[in-house]
Amino acid sequence: MRLKDCHNFQDFRTLAKKRLPSPIFNYIDGGADDETTYRRNTAAFETCDLVPSVLTGVKDVDLSVTVMGQKLALPIYCSPTALQRLFHHDGERAVAGAAEKYGTMFGVSSLGTVSMEEIAKQTTTPQVYQFYFHKDRELNRAMMQRAKDSGVQVMMLTVDSITGGNRERDLRTGFAIPFKLNLKGMLQFVLKPMWGINYVTHEKFRLPQLKEHIDMGSGATSIGDYFTNMLDPSMNWDDVAEMVKFWDGEFCLKGIMSREDARKAVEIGCTGVIISNHGGRQLDGSRSSFDQLAEIVDEVGDEIDVIFDSGVQRGTHVLKALSLGAKAVGIGRMYLYPLAAAGQPGVERALGLMKAELERDMKLMGKTSIDQLTRENLRFRF
Ligand SMILES: Cc1cc2nc3c(=O)[nH]c(=O)nc-3n(C[C@H](O)[C@H](O)[C@H](O)COP(=O)(O)O)c2cc1C
Protein backbone atom coordinates (compact mmCIF):
# COMPACT_ATOMS: atom_id res chain seq x y z
CA MET A 1 0.00 0.00 0.00
CA ARG A 2 1.30 3.44 -0.96
CA LEU A 3 0.19 7.03 -0.51
CA LYS A 4 -1.66 7.07 -3.82
CA ASP A 5 -3.74 4.14 -2.56
CA CYS A 6 -5.05 6.23 0.35
CA HIS A 7 -8.51 7.60 -0.40
CA ASN A 8 -9.96 8.09 3.06
CA PHE A 9 -9.29 8.22 6.81
CA GLN A 10 -9.19 4.43 7.19
CA ASP A 11 -6.69 4.03 4.32
CA PHE A 12 -4.30 6.53 5.95
CA ARG A 13 -4.74 4.74 9.26
CA THR A 14 -3.83 1.42 7.65
CA LEU A 15 -0.71 2.89 6.05
CA ALA A 16 0.33 4.60 9.31
CA LYS A 17 -0.03 1.29 11.12
CA LYS A 18 2.29 -0.33 8.59
CA ARG A 19 4.95 2.37 8.99
CA LEU A 20 4.97 3.01 12.76
CA PRO A 21 6.28 0.83 15.59
CA SER A 22 3.13 -0.32 17.34
CA PRO A 23 3.68 1.58 20.65
CA ILE A 24 3.71 4.84 18.65
CA PHE A 25 0.77 3.85 16.45
CA ASN A 26 -1.23 2.94 19.54
CA TYR A 27 -0.36 6.23 21.23
CA ILE A 28 -2.08 8.04 18.33
CA ASP A 29 -4.82 5.50 17.79
CA GLY A 30 -5.87 4.90 21.38
CA GLY A 31 -8.34 6.48 23.77
CA ALA A 32 -8.98 6.32 27.51
CA ASP A 33 -10.26 3.33 29.54
CA ASP A 34 -12.66 1.24 27.42
CA GLU A 35 -12.56 3.77 24.56
CA THR A 36 -16.37 4.15 24.59
CA THR A 37 -16.27 7.93 24.15
CA TYR A 38 -13.68 7.52 21.39
CA ARG A 39 -15.99 5.17 19.46
CA ARG A 40 -19.08 7.25 20.20
CA ASN A 41 -17.44 10.43 18.84
CA THR A 42 -17.66 9.22 15.26
CA ALA A 43 -20.80 7.10 15.68
CA ALA A 44 -22.70 10.19 16.93
CA PHE A 45 -22.65 11.70 13.44
CA GLU A 46 -24.91 8.86 12.34
CA THR A 47 -27.69 9.95 14.69
CA CYS A 48 -28.73 12.53 12.12
CA ASP A 49 -29.03 12.67 8.36
CA LEU A 50 -28.49 15.44 5.87
CA VAL A 51 -31.43 16.76 3.87
CA PRO A 52 -30.19 18.12 0.54
CA SER A 53 -31.69 20.84 -1.62
CA VAL A 54 -31.52 20.67 -5.43
CA LEU A 55 -31.52 23.03 -8.41
CA THR A 56 -29.92 25.87 -6.47
CA GLY A 57 -27.03 26.62 -8.89
CA VAL A 58 -23.88 25.39 -7.22
CA LYS A 59 -21.15 26.04 -9.80
CA ASP A 60 -18.83 27.83 -7.37
CA VAL A 61 -18.52 26.80 -3.74
CA ASP A 62 -16.84 29.01 -1.14
CA LEU A 63 -15.54 26.93 1.77
CA SER A 64 -14.02 29.82 3.70
CA VAL A 65 -14.94 30.72 7.27
CA THR A 66 -13.86 33.38 9.76
CA VAL A 67 -13.17 32.06 13.22
CA MET A 68 -11.44 33.62 16.23
CA GLY A 69 -10.82 36.64 13.98
CA GLN A 70 -8.94 34.51 11.41
CA LYS A 71 -10.03 34.03 7.82
CA LEU A 72 -9.55 30.37 6.82
CA ALA A 73 -9.92 28.99 3.30
CA LEU A 74 -11.39 25.78 4.73
CA PRO A 75 -13.80 25.21 7.64
CA ILE A 76 -11.35 22.70 9.17
CA TYR A 77 -8.06 23.36 10.96
CA CYS A 78 -5.27 21.17 12.39
CA SER A 79 -5.87 20.88 16.12
CA PRO A 80 -2.72 20.92 18.30
CA THR A 81 -1.23 17.50 19.00
CA ALA A 82 1.86 16.41 20.91
CA LEU A 83 5.08 14.72 19.77
CA GLN A 84 4.66 14.99 15.99
CA ARG A 85 8.32 14.31 15.14
CA LEU A 86 7.88 10.85 16.65
CA PHE A 87 5.30 10.11 13.98
CA HIS A 88 7.39 11.46 11.10
CA HIS A 89 10.78 13.14 11.29
CA ASP A 90 9.40 16.40 9.78
CA GLY A 91 6.63 16.54 12.41
CA GLU A 92 5.06 19.98 12.88
CA ARG A 93 6.99 21.40 9.91
CA ALA A 94 5.13 18.99 7.63
CA VAL A 95 1.70 19.61 9.14
CA ALA A 96 2.12 23.40 9.29
CA GLY A 97 3.38 23.39 5.67
CA ALA A 98 0.36 21.41 4.48
CA ALA A 99 -2.04 23.59 6.52
CA GLU A 100 -0.51 26.69 4.91
CA LYS A 101 -0.90 25.21 1.45
CA TYR A 102 -4.62 24.78 2.10
CA GLY A 103 -4.96 28.19 3.75
CA THR A 104 -5.91 26.97 7.20
CA MET A 105 -4.85 27.31 10.81
CA PHE A 106 -2.31 25.13 12.59
CA GLY A 107 -2.04 24.54 16.33
CA VAL A 108 1.32 24.14 18.05
CA SER A 109 1.10 22.00 21.19
CA SER A 110 2.89 22.73 24.45
CA LEU A 111 4.23 19.22 23.88
CA GLY A 112 5.19 20.05 20.29
CA THR A 113 8.55 18.96 18.88
CA VAL A 114 9.27 22.09 16.80
CA SER A 115 9.29 25.54 18.37
CA MET A 116 6.35 27.90 18.00
CA GLU A 117 8.83 30.56 16.83
CA GLU A 118 10.08 28.38 13.96
CA ILE A 119 6.55 27.48 12.84
CA ALA A 120 5.50 31.14 13.00
CA LYS A 121 8.47 32.07 10.77
CA GLN A 122 7.80 29.20 8.36
CA THR A 123 4.13 29.95 7.70
CA THR A 124 1.91 32.89 6.84
CA THR A 125 -1.38 31.24 7.87
CA PRO A 126 -2.80 31.77 11.38
CA GLN A 127 -1.21 29.95 14.28
CA VAL A 128 -2.66 28.74 17.55
CA TYR A 129 -0.63 28.06 20.67
CA GLN A 130 -2.01 25.33 22.92
CA PHE A 131 -1.23 26.00 26.52
CA TYR A 132 -1.28 24.06 29.80
CA PHE A 133 -1.63 25.93 33.09
CA HIS A 134 1.42 25.68 35.40
CA LYS A 135 1.60 26.06 39.16
CA ASP A 136 4.22 28.75 38.59
CA ARG A 137 2.23 31.85 37.55
CA GLU A 138 5.39 33.64 36.39
CA LEU A 139 6.09 30.77 34.04
CA ASN A 140 2.53 31.03 32.64
CA ARG A 141 3.03 34.71 31.94
CA ALA A 142 6.50 34.13 30.45
CA MET A 143 5.15 31.46 28.09
CA MET A 144 2.26 33.62 26.98
CA GLN A 145 4.65 36.48 26.37
CA ARG A 146 6.82 34.15 24.30
CA ALA A 147 3.77 33.21 22.20
CA LYS A 148 2.90 36.89 21.80
CA ASP A 149 6.43 37.75 20.71
CA SER A 150 6.48 34.98 18.15
CA GLY A 151 3.28 36.29 16.52
CA VAL A 152 0.80 33.59 17.60
CA GLN A 153 -2.73 34.83 16.81
CA VAL A 154 -4.86 32.56 18.98
CA MET A 155 -4.25 31.33 22.55
CA MET A 156 -5.91 27.99 23.29
CA LEU A 157 -5.99 26.78 26.87
CA THR A 158 -6.67 23.07 27.19
CA VAL A 159 -9.01 22.57 30.16
CA ASP A 160 -9.89 18.89 29.91
CA SER A 161 -6.46 17.58 30.92
CA ILE A 162 -6.31 18.55 34.57
CA THR A 163 -4.91 15.04 34.98
CA GLY A 164 -3.84 12.56 32.34
CA GLY A 165 -6.42 10.17 30.82
CA ASN A 166 -5.97 6.45 31.46
CA ARG A 167 -4.56 5.22 28.13
CA GLU A 168 -4.28 1.51 28.72
CA ARG A 169 -2.75 0.79 25.33
CA ASP A 170 0.26 2.89 26.44
CA LEU A 171 0.45 1.03 29.73
CA ARG A 172 0.65 -2.26 27.84
CA THR A 173 3.44 -1.11 25.49
CA GLY A 174 5.29 1.00 28.06
CA PHE A 175 4.97 4.10 25.84
CA ALA A 176 6.27 7.20 27.69
CA ILE A 177 8.54 10.17 26.98
CA PRO A 178 11.47 9.69 27.39
CA PHE A 179 11.02 6.10 26.18
CA LYS A 180 10.57 3.47 28.87
CA LEU A 181 9.54 0.60 26.65
CA ASN A 182 9.06 -2.87 27.95
CA LEU A 183 10.60 -5.80 26.09
CA LYS A 184 7.52 -6.38 23.95
CA GLY A 185 7.43 -2.67 23.09
CA MET A 186 11.11 -2.69 22.13
CA LEU A 187 10.61 -5.64 19.83
CA GLN A 188 8.02 -3.62 17.94
CA PHE A 189 10.69 -1.02 17.18
CA VAL A 190 13.02 -3.72 15.85
CA LEU A 191 10.23 -4.81 13.51
CA LYS A 192 10.04 -1.32 11.95
CA PRO A 193 13.73 -0.55 11.18
CA MET A 194 12.96 2.30 8.71
CA TRP A 195 11.30 4.27 11.50
CA GLY A 196 14.40 3.72 13.67
CA ILE A 197 16.80 4.78 10.89
CA ASN A 198 14.81 7.96 10.30
CA TYR A 199 14.68 8.67 14.02
CA VAL A 200 18.44 8.43 14.57
CA THR A 201 19.52 10.11 11.32
CA HIS A 202 17.45 13.25 11.82
CA GLU A 203 17.68 16.13 14.26
CA LYS A 204 17.50 15.07 17.89
CA PHE A 205 14.03 14.72 19.41
CA ARG A 206 13.19 17.77 21.54
CA LEU A 207 10.26 19.48 23.23
CA PRO A 208 11.25 23.12 22.55
CA GLN A 209 8.22 24.68 24.24
CA LEU A 210 9.22 22.97 27.51
CA LYS A 211 12.94 22.42 27.16
CA GLU A 212 13.71 23.90 30.56
CA HIS A 213 11.13 21.68 32.24
CA ILE A 214 11.48 18.19 30.77
CA ASP A 215 14.88 16.54 30.80
CA MET A 216 15.07 14.54 27.56
CA GLY A 217 18.74 13.63 28.04
CA SER A 218 19.01 11.78 31.34
CA GLY A 219 15.27 11.23 31.50
CA ALA A 220 15.16 12.65 35.04
CA THR A 221 11.84 14.37 34.27
CA SER A 222 9.29 12.73 32.01
CA ILE A 223 6.11 14.09 30.45
CA GLY A 224 4.24 12.20 33.17
CA ASP A 225 6.28 14.01 35.86
CA TYR A 226 5.69 17.31 34.08
CA PHE A 227 1.92 16.80 34.26
CA THR A 228 2.05 15.68 37.89
CA ASN A 229 4.57 18.16 39.26
CA MET A 230 4.35 21.30 37.18
CA LEU A 231 0.74 21.64 36.05
CA ASP A 232 -1.76 23.05 38.48
CA PRO A 233 -4.77 20.83 39.27
CA SER A 234 -6.26 23.64 41.35
CA MET A 235 -6.66 25.86 38.27
CA ASN A 236 -10.04 27.62 38.41
CA TRP A 237 -12.10 30.25 36.58
CA ASP A 238 -10.38 33.15 38.38
CA ASP A 239 -6.96 31.91 37.26
CA VAL A 240 -8.12 31.65 33.69
CA ALA A 241 -9.78 35.10 33.84
CA GLU A 242 -6.34 36.53 34.69
CA MET A 243 -4.77 34.75 31.75
CA VAL A 244 -7.45 36.03 29.39
CA LYS A 245 -6.77 39.56 30.59
CA PHE A 246 -3.00 39.16 30.24
CA TRP A 247 -3.27 37.73 26.71
CA ASP A 248 -5.62 40.54 25.63
CA GLY A 249 -6.54 38.92 22.31
CA GLU A 250 -8.23 35.87 20.83
CA PHE A 251 -8.44 33.34 23.67
CA CYS A 252 -10.34 30.05 23.62
CA LEU A 253 -10.88 27.15 26.00
CA LYS A 254 -10.40 23.69 24.52
CA GLY A 255 -12.39 20.89 26.11
CA ILE A 256 -15.65 22.60 27.10
CA MET A 257 -18.53 20.11 27.28
CA SER A 258 -21.27 21.78 29.30
CA ARG A 259 -23.42 24.80 28.57
CA GLU A 260 -22.75 26.21 32.07
CA ASP A 261 -19.01 26.18 31.41
CA ALA A 262 -19.51 27.78 28.02
CA ARG A 263 -21.47 30.56 29.77
CA LYS A 264 -18.63 31.06 32.28
CA ALA A 265 -16.16 31.25 29.39
CA VAL A 266 -18.19 34.16 27.98
CA GLU A 267 -18.28 35.85 31.40
CA ILE A 268 -14.48 35.82 31.80
CA GLY A 269 -13.95 37.29 28.35
CA CYS A 270 -13.01 34.30 26.21
CA THR A 271 -13.64 34.76 22.50
CA GLY A 272 -14.15 31.08 21.74
CA VAL A 273 -14.84 27.63 23.17
CA ILE A 274 -13.92 24.31 21.63
CA ILE A 275 -16.45 21.57 22.22
CA SER A 276 -14.06 18.65 22.52
CA ASN A 277 -13.41 15.54 24.58
CA HIS A 278 -9.78 15.37 23.40
CA GLY A 279 -10.62 12.71 20.82
CA GLY A 280 -11.82 10.34 23.58
CA ARG A 281 -8.41 10.38 25.26
CA GLN A 282 -9.40 11.90 28.62
CA LEU A 283 -12.71 11.13 30.39
CA ASP A 284 -14.10 7.88 29.04
CA GLY A 285 -17.87 7.78 29.32
CA SER A 286 -18.02 11.50 28.57
CA ARG A 287 -20.68 12.47 26.03
CA SER A 288 -19.57 12.81 22.42
CA SER A 289 -18.72 16.33 21.28
CA PHE A 290 -21.35 16.14 18.53
CA ASP A 291 -24.10 15.24 21.02
CA GLN A 292 -23.22 18.31 23.12
CA LEU A 293 -22.76 20.80 20.31
CA ALA A 294 -26.33 22.07 19.75
CA GLU A 295 -27.07 23.01 23.36
CA ILE A 296 -23.82 24.93 23.69
CA VAL A 297 -24.43 26.78 20.41
CA ASP A 298 -27.89 27.67 21.73
CA GLU A 299 -26.39 28.99 24.97
CA VAL A 300 -23.46 31.10 23.69
CA GLY A 301 -23.35 30.84 19.90
CA ASP A 302 -24.43 34.48 19.44
CA GLU A 303 -21.73 35.76 21.80
CA ILE A 304 -18.53 33.81 21.09
CA ASP A 305 -17.22 31.39 18.48
CA VAL A 306 -18.25 27.81 19.16
CA ILE A 307 -15.72 25.48 17.59
CA PHE A 308 -15.94 21.70 17.42
CA ASP A 309 -13.58 18.72 17.44
CA SER A 310 -13.42 14.96 18.14
CA GLY A 311 -14.32 12.11 15.85
CA VAL A 312 -14.24 13.81 12.44
CA GLN A 313 -13.35 11.47 9.59
CA ARG A 314 -15.51 12.67 6.68
CA GLY A 315 -16.62 15.84 4.90
CA THR A 316 -20.21 15.08 5.88
CA HIS A 317 -19.19 15.02 9.56
CA VAL A 318 -17.84 18.55 9.11
CA LEU A 319 -21.03 19.69 7.36
CA LYS A 320 -23.19 18.25 10.14
CA ALA A 321 -21.21 20.08 12.85
CA LEU A 322 -21.33 23.34 10.86
CA SER A 323 -25.08 22.89 10.31
CA LEU A 324 -25.57 22.69 14.08
CA GLY A 325 -23.76 26.01 14.43
CA ALA A 326 -20.04 25.31 14.87
CA LYS A 327 -17.89 28.07 13.34
CA ALA A 328 -15.04 25.69 12.42
CA VAL A 329 -14.02 22.09 12.99
CA GLY A 330 -10.73 20.79 14.39
CA ILE A 331 -9.15 17.57 13.18
CA GLY A 332 -6.58 15.42 15.01
CA ARG A 333 -6.05 11.84 13.90
CA MET A 334 -7.32 12.82 10.45
CA TYR A 335 -3.97 14.52 9.79
CA LEU A 336 -1.80 12.45 12.18
CA TYR A 337 -2.21 9.16 10.32
CA PRO A 338 -1.31 10.83 6.99
CA LEU A 339 1.69 12.49 8.69
CA ALA A 340 2.88 9.10 9.93
CA ALA A 341 2.10 7.48 6.58
CA ALA A 342 4.00 9.91 4.36
CA GLY A 343 5.05 13.22 6.00
CA GLN A 344 3.98 16.49 4.34
CA PRO A 345 2.81 14.88 1.06
CA GLY A 346 0.60 12.64 3.21
CA VAL A 347 -0.99 15.54 5.09
CA GLU A 348 -1.40 17.48 1.84
CA ARG A 349 -3.14 14.52 0.24
CA ALA A 350 -5.47 14.16 3.25
CA LEU A 351 -6.35 17.87 3.28
CA GLY A 352 -6.74 17.86 -0.50
CA LEU A 353 -9.12 14.91 -0.35
CA MET A 354 -11.07 16.58 2.47
CA LYS A 355 -11.32 19.82 0.48
CA ALA A 356 -12.63 17.92 -2.57
CA GLU A 357 -15.04 15.99 -0.35
CA LEU A 358 -16.35 19.19 1.23
CA GLU A 359 -16.82 20.83 -2.15
CA ARG A 360 -18.63 17.79 -3.52
CA ASP A 361 -20.81 17.44 -0.40
CA MET A 362 -21.70 21.14 -0.46
CA LYS A 363 -22.77 20.85 -4.11
CA LEU A 364 -24.81 17.75 -3.37
CA MET A 365 -26.44 19.64 -0.48
CA GLY A 366 -27.27 22.53 -2.83
CA LYS A 367 -25.13 25.03 -0.87
CA THR A 368 -22.48 27.44 -2.08
CA SER A 369 -21.23 28.97 1.18
CA ILE A 370 -20.81 27.73 4.72
CA ASP A 371 -23.25 30.27 6.16
CA GLN A 372 -26.05 28.57 4.16
CA LEU A 373 -25.72 25.48 6.36
CA THR A 374 -28.39 25.48 9.08
CA ARG A 375 -30.28 23.01 11.25
CA GLU A 376 -32.89 22.90 8.48
CA ASN A 377 -30.38 20.66 6.67
CA LEU A 378 -30.52 18.03 9.41
CA ARG A 379 -33.00 15.51 10.71
CA PHE A 380 -32.27 13.56 13.89
CA ARG A 381 -33.43 9.96 13.99
CA PHE A 382 -34.73 10.04 17.56
C1 LIG B 1 -1.74 11.73 19.41
C2 LIG B 1 -2.54 12.89 19.92
C3 LIG B 1 -1.92 13.88 20.67
C4 LIG B 1 -2.64 14.97 21.15
N1 LIG B 1 -1.99 15.97 21.83
C5 LIG B 1 -2.69 17.04 22.28
C6 LIG B 1 -2.03 18.09 22.98
O1 LIG B 1 -0.81 18.08 23.16
N2 LIG B 1 -2.78 19.12 23.45
C7 LIG B 1 -4.14 19.18 23.24
O2 LIG B 1 -4.78 20.11 23.69
N3 LIG B 1 -4.78 18.21 22.55
C8 LIG B 1 -4.09 17.15 22.07
N4 LIG B 1 -4.75 16.16 21.38
C9 LIG B 1 -6.20 16.30 21.09
C10 LIG B 1 -6.45 16.99 19.74
O3 LIG B 1 -6.06 18.34 19.75
C11 LIG B 1 -7.92 16.93 19.33
O4 LIG B 1 -8.70 17.49 20.36
C12 LIG B 1 -8.38 15.50 19.06
O5 LIG B 1 -7.40 14.77 18.38
C13 LIG B 1 -9.64 15.53 18.22
O6 LIG B 1 -10.13 14.23 18.02
P1 LIG B 1 -9.86 13.40 16.68
O7 LIG B 1 -8.46 12.85 16.77
O8 LIG B 1 -10.90 12.33 16.74
O9 LIG B 1 -10.02 14.35 15.51
C14 LIG B 1 -4.04 15.06 20.89
C15 LIG B 1 -4.66 14.05 20.14
C16 LIG B 1 -3.94 12.98 19.65
C17 LIG B 1 -4.64 11.94 18.82
Side-chain angles (χ1 to χ4, degrees):
M1 187 186 200
R2 285 179 300 175
L3 182 58
K4 69 176 178 44
D5 302 316
C6 293
H7 302 290
N8 64 28
F9 180 93
Q10 293 301 340
D11 294 339
F12 284 111
R13 179 178 179 274
T14 304
L15 189 54
K17 193 171 185 180
K18 281 203 164 79
R19 300 258 157 102
L20 287 175
S22 79
I24 298 183
F25 174 77
N26 280 302
Y27 169 69
I28 301 174
D29 197 57
D33 292 1
D34 299 317
E35 303 189 343
T36 44
T37 296
Y38 179 23
R39 285 189 297 277
R40 176 71 193 161
N41 276 343
T42 305
F45 293 111
E46 289 178 27
T47 55
C48 71
D49 301 305
L50 292 161
V51 182
S53 305
V54 295
L55 303 177
T56 58
V58 289
K59 192 164 148 288
D60 299 309
V61 173
D62 176 8
L63 291 175
S64 69
V65 292
T66 300
V67 64
M68 304 289 293
Q70 317 303 314
K71 172 109 173 152
L72 312 182
L74 295 179
I76 55 161
Y77 66 94
C78 297
S79 188
T81 58
L83 310 181
Q84 291 179 18
R85 289 194 56 249
L86 272 192
F87 315 147
H88 182 276
H89 53 263
D90 288 334
E92 287 82 352
R93 293 178 188 115
V95 182
E100 180 178 43
K101 186 164 172 191
Y102 283 92
T104 195
M105 195 160 75
F106 172 74
V108 178
S109 165
S110 276
L111 298 170
T113 52
V114 176
S115 75
M116 59 177 130
E117 289 85 355
E118 183 183 329
I119 297 296
K121 271 193 210 122
Q122 179 197 321
T123 53
T124 51
T125 34
Q127 187 175 327
V128 170
Y129 179 55
Q130 178 271 317
F131 194 76
Y132 288 118
F133 190 80
H134 303 88
K135 286 177 187 157
D136 180 347
R137 304 298 196 261
E138 263 315 302
L139 177 61
N140 288 333
R141 277 189 283 274
M143 288 185 93
M144 280 201 288
Q145 190 58 47
R146 189 177 152 190
K148 235 181 223 183
D149 295 343
S150 69
V152 163
Q153 286 89 348
V154 178
M155 180 57 64
M156 186 181 279
L157 178 71
T158 298
V159 289
D160 62 10
S161 304
I162 206 81
T163 185
N166 178 40
R167 322 246 172 97
E168 291 179 0
R169 295 201 212 184
D170 296 346
L171 298 178
R172 280 189 204 101
T173 60
F175 180 88
I177 299 293
F179 287 138
K180 277 188 201 148
L181 296 169
N182 56 30
L183 202 62
K184 205 168 131 214
M186 261 186 270
L187 182 68
Q188 297 305 314
F189 279 73
V190 176
L191 293 175
K192 300 283 158 71
M194 268 319 289
W195 182 92
I197 291 166
N198 275 327
Y199 184 74
V200 295
T201 54
H202 287 88
E203 163 202 344
K204 201 163 170 282
F205 182 81
R206 294 179 309 128
L207 295 172
Q209 270 64 253
L210 302 174
K211 59 181 185 292
E212 281 113 45
H213 316 296
I214 296 184
D215 178 357
M216 298 296 298
S218 69
T221 324
S222 67
I223 287 187
D225 297 334
Y226 166 76
F227 268 82
T228 313
N229 301 329
M230 298 202 57
L231 301 187
D232 190 352
S234 68
M235 167 173 75
N236 61 31
W237 287 101
D238 292 338
D239 296 319
V240 180
E242 261 180 51
M243 287 182 72
V244 173
K245 215 189 243 164
F246 182 84
W247 178 253
D248 193 22
E250 297 290 342
F251 193 114
C252 58
L253 299 182
K254 175 170 180 286
I256 291 294
M257 287 294 285
S258 80
R259 82 165 93 190
E260 294 79 8
D261 284 351
R263 170 60 46 209
K264 284 187 199 139
V266 173
E267 283 163 11
I268 64 165
C270 291
T271 52
V273 283
I274 299 167
I275 314 314
S276 166
N277 54 38
H278 218 105
R281 298 163 72 81
Q282 286 297 105
L283 177 66
D284 194 36
S286 164
R287 213 159 181 234
S288 80
S289 301
F290 188 67
D291 288 331
Q292 276 307 88
L293 180 58
E295 66 179 75
I296 296 177
V297 170
D298 289 343
E299 178 73 30
V300 298
D302 289 340
E303 294 160 85
I304 57 175
D305 284 350
V306 177
I307 303 165
F308 170 88
D309 84 32
S310 296
V312 171
Q313 301 182 2
R314 279 286 181 196
T316 49
H317 299 165
V318 176
L319 295 197
K320 287 177 179 179
L322 295 170
S323 297
L324 279 187
K327 287 274 158 43
V329 172
I331 53 170
R333 295 176 184 89
M334 214 208 86
Y335 74 81
L336 287 176
Y337 296 132
L339 171 68
Q344 184 162 340
V347 184
E348 284 184 10
R349 183 169 170 86
L351 292 179
L353 287 169
M354 178 50 104
K355 181 178 178 205
E357 199 166 312
L358 286 168
E359 263 162 8
R360 183 169 53 245
D361 293 339
M362 286 287 284
K363 286 184 179 172
L364 291 171
M365 284 293 294
K367 307 292 177 197
T368 51
S369 66
I370 299 297
D371 59 8
Q372 293 170 1
L373 294 169
T374 69
R375 291 184 193 180
E376 277 304 300
N377 314 133
L378 297 179
R379 292 291 180 279
F380 281 83
R381 291 181 181 208
F382 46 83

